[in-house]
């Protein structure tokens, strides 16, 4: 028999067992739809994370006071200049001096931060103030200006403000060369940062020498954090090790329990986030695959039932010359068709579910807007192939049993 004959007979079996076949197909549709939808969500999550990591400076290393505090610190783009401490430990200019000679460090500087009242045109808001070293900040930050400029070494009572501070907080927009008042001190804006879509948009950056006088409780030569920029990503791990060794000696730490500082690298944070995203996607995919397993059992059950119902027909076909291979292929094609139809509708369902994710609260934020969640052609082909494969595997045993029936026994079957 030809393949076209197998297909016609398998299609005839599918069409003449509508209810049972479609109930089985529904199981495959749900399974494939769940897998495709979750994988598409996972792909969108991973793409969003990679896009965010691309904005991060993976050569940045942040030193924070307090060992437990910095373990949960994850600096984002342009961050790593503040954060404070949960302990009484302090970072000082002596710590910066102790690290100056480490090979592989391109730049190093301390920073302070705090929240203060900022007044503009008679309106007051409490905003985050960050003091940075203007001599190196422009080389260490990934932030870019929308207008104006970054801080210069000669600056003092000037500021670079986030886009959210420039527009959205006060009734009147804050422009370049406008004067804002921080704790009674007049500060002129020299730059407005491009929109980041996060907390950076509501930050105000000042030279650290001036920030000391506008941030309460700030002290000269005492930092909330120290930021280090390695010369390359490949040198980050060795620089982190050197920093820990140097600070352990300079701060006279004898036991691990006495450690009062933490060192976090953006590179290791990025790797952890990537691994976590992949694990979440894998876990959700495994859960969705359970429904596929149920669909596979449904196909096997349907095929076994079909073999029992068509036992006499199998006997008749064998009596007039059909071979074992012919019977086997008919039932395999039938189960493959069940998987194919289920796969087609499953991919459609997965696409519909993916498009509904943003309306169900599953949004991936990037720059203040939802990231797109869509099916790739590769994912569609994967879903369809998976469904057909499950159909063939599930129908293989019933098809084999059907092919081994003896004509005489099959014709006598009641």
């Amino acid at each position: 028999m030809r393949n076209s004959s197998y297909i016609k007979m398998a299609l005839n079996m599918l069409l003449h067992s509508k209810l049972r076949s479609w109930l089985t197909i529904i199981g495959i549709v749900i399974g494939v739809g769940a897998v495709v939808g979750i994988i598409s969500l996972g792909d969108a999550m991973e793409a969003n994370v990679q896009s965010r990591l691309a904005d991060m400076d993976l050569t940045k290393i942040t030193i924070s006071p307090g060992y437990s505090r910095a373990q949960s610190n994850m600096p984002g783009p342009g961050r790593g200049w503040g954060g404070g401490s949960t302990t009484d430990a302090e970072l000082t200019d002596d710590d910066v001096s102790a690290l100056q000679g480490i090979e592989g460090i391109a730049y190093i500087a301390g920073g302070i931060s705090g929240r203060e009242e900022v007044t503009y045109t008679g309106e007051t808001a409490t905003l985050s103030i960050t003091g940075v070293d203007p001599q190196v900040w422009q080389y260490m930050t990934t932030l870019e200006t929308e207008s104006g400029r970054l801080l210069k070494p000669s600056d003092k009572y000037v500021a670079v403000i986030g886009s959210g501070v420039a527009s959205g907080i006060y009734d009147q927009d804050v422009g370049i060369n406008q004067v804002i008042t921080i704790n009674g001190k007049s500060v002129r804006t020299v730059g407005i940062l491009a929109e980041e879509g996060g907390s950076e948009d509501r930050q105000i950056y000042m030279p650290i020498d001036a920030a000391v006088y506008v941030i309460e409780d700030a002290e000269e030569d005492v930092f909330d954090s120290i930021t280090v920029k390695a010369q390359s990503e490949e040198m980050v791990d060795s620089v982190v090790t050197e920093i820990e060794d140097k600070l352990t000696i300079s701060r006279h730490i004898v036991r691990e329990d006495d450690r009062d500082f933490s060192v976090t690298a953006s590179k290791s944070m990025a790797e952890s986030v990537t691994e976590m995203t992949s694990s979440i996607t894998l876990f959700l995919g495994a859960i969705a695959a359970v429904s596929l397993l149920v669909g596979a059992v449904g196909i096997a059950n349907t095929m076994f039932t079909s073999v029992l119902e068509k036992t006499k027909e199998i006997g008749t076909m064998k009596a007039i010359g059909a071979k074992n291979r012919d019977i086997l292929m008919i039932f395999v094609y039938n189960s493959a068709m069940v998987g194919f139809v289920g796969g087609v509708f499953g991919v459609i369902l997965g696409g519909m579910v993916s498009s509904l994710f943003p309306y169900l609260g599953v949004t991936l934020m990037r720059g203040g807007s939802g990231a797109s969640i869509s099916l790739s052609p590769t994912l569609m082909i994967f879903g369809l192939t998976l469904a057909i494969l499950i159909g063939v595997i599930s129908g293989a045993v019933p098809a084999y049993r059907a092919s081994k029936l003896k004509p005489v026994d099959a014709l006598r079957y009641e």
Side-chain angles (χ1 to χ4, degrees):
M1 296 176 69
R2 298 179 179 178
N3 286 332
S4 59
S5 300
Y6 298 145
I7 294 173
K8 287 179 182 179
M9 297 186 71
L11 183 60
N12 184 61
M13 290 173 60
L14 181 63
L15 294 175
H16 285 82
S17 56
K18 293 181 180 178
L19 180 60
R20 184 174 65 248
S21 295
W22 278 104
L23 287 175
T24 303
I25 287 171
I26 288 173
I28 296 297
V29 170
I30 294 173
V32 172
V35 170
V36 169
I38 287 177
I39 292 178
S40 67
L41 175 62
D43 288 344
M45 286 174 58
E46 188 169 351
N48 183 261
V49 168
Q50 293 301 325
S51 178
R52 289 179 177 272
L53 294 181
D55 292 338
M56 291 179 63
D57 183 358
L58 299 184
T59 62
K60 182 174 288 186
I61 302 165
T62 304
I63 306 164
S64 303
Y67 185 57
S68 61
R69 162 67 168 165
Q71 294 301 323
S72 58
N73 254 353
M74 183 180 293
R79 297 182 187 175
W81 289 89
S85 173
T86 55
T87 71
D88 294 331
E90 293 181 340
L91 295 174
T92 67
D93 199 45
D94 292 336
D95 296 310
V96 175
S97 299
L99 303 177
Q100 290 286 358
I102 293 179
E103 183 181 355
I105 290 182
Y107 301 103
I108 181 171
I112 61 174
S113 63
R115 292 183 62 81
E116 303 296 339
E117 291 187 349
V118 181
T119 303
Y120 178 67
T121 62
E123 297 178 84
T124 300
T126 302
L127 301 174
S128 296
I129 314 295
T130 302
V132 299
D133 186 345
Q135 294 188 20
V136 298
W137 184 57
Q138 59 184 314
Y139 305 111
M140 301 180 71
T141 184
T142 57
L143 299 173
E144 297 179 355
T145 56
E146 181 182 281
S147 59
R149 62 175 176 81
L150 294 176
L151 300 174
K152 293 181 177 180
S154 58
D155 289 332
K156 190 166 185 181
Y157 284 102
V158 301
V160 173
I161 62 176
S163 59
V165 178
S167 59
I169 293 181
Y170 304 105
D171 290 338
Q172 295 185 26
D173 290 350
V174 183
I176 301 298
N177 290 324
Q178 298 295 311
V179 176
I180 59 178
T181 303
I182 306 176
N183 266 350
K185 299 238 178 359
S186 296
V187 177
R188 180 171 58 89
T189 61
V190 295
I192 298 174
L193 297 172
E195 184 177 355
E196 290 286 323
S199 61
E200 295 293 337
D201 292 341
R202 288 178 171 254
Q203 290 274 354
I204 297 177
Y205 294 91
M206 295 180 60
I208 191 169
D209 292 340
V212 168
Y213 296 103
V214 299
I215 298 177
E216 291 185 11
D217 301 326
E219 302 176 38
E220 289 190 42
D221 298 331
V222 175
F223 309 120
D224 291 324
S225 67
I226 297 173
T227 302
V228 173
K229 182 178 176 66
Q231 293 177 358
S232 66
E233 288 185 33
E234 292 72 21
M235 301 185 74
V236 168
D237 293 337
S238 61
V239 170
V240 168
T241 302
E242 281 291 317
I243 289 173
E244 291 178 341
D245 292 342
K246 287 276 187 179
L247 289 181
T248 298
I249 295 172
S250 66
R251 295 174 74 88
H252 308 293
I253 297 171
V254 179
R255 300 179 304 166
E256 184 69 17
D257 292 343
D258 297 331
R259 184 168 170 174
D260 58 358
F261 69 92
S262 289
V263 183
T264 54
S266 296
K267 179 183 175 182
S268 60
M269 294 288 185
E271 292 171 351
S272 298
V273 170
T274 302
E275 290 176 5
M276 182 176 66
T277 304
S278 299
S279 298
I280 291 174
T281 303
L282 182 62
F283 176 70
L284 293 176
I287 294 176
V290 173
S291 56
L292 271 180
L293 179 61
V294 174
V297 172
I299 291 178
N301 180 60
T302 299
M303 296 306 299
F304 273 118
T305 306
S306 295
V307 170
L308 292 175
E309 288 181 346
K310 299 186 181 299
T311 300
K312 281 194 173 183
E313 293 180 28
I314 294 170
T316 302
M317 292 175 65
K318 283 198 168 188
I320 60 176
K323 299 178 180 179
N324 288 353
R325 180 179 180 277
D326 297 327
I327 305 299
L328 175 68
M329 293 305 296
I330 290 171
F331 280 95
V332 167
Y333 270 96
N334 181 233
S335 61
M337 281 185 181
V338 172
F340 174 77
V341 175
V344 170
F345 285 100
V347 169
I348 294 173
L349 176 63
M352 293 173 61
V353 170
S354 298
S355 63
L356 290 175
F357 275 139
Y359 302 100
L360 299 175
V362 185
T363 54
L364 305 174
M365 301 306 293
R366 170 71 184 161
S369 60
S372 61
I373 303 176
S374 58
L375 296 185
S376 65
T378 303
L379 185 55
M380 293 181 184
I381 295 172
F382 168 76
L384 190 58
T385 303
L386 183 63
I388 295 173
L389 187 62
I390 287 175
V392 171
I393 293 174
S394 301
V397 174
Y400 179 77
R401 289 186 60 178
S403 69
K404 291 299 182 181
L405 287 174
K406 296 179 180 180
V408 176
D409 294 336
L411 290 170
R412 288 179 177 177
Y413 181 79
E414 295 292 339

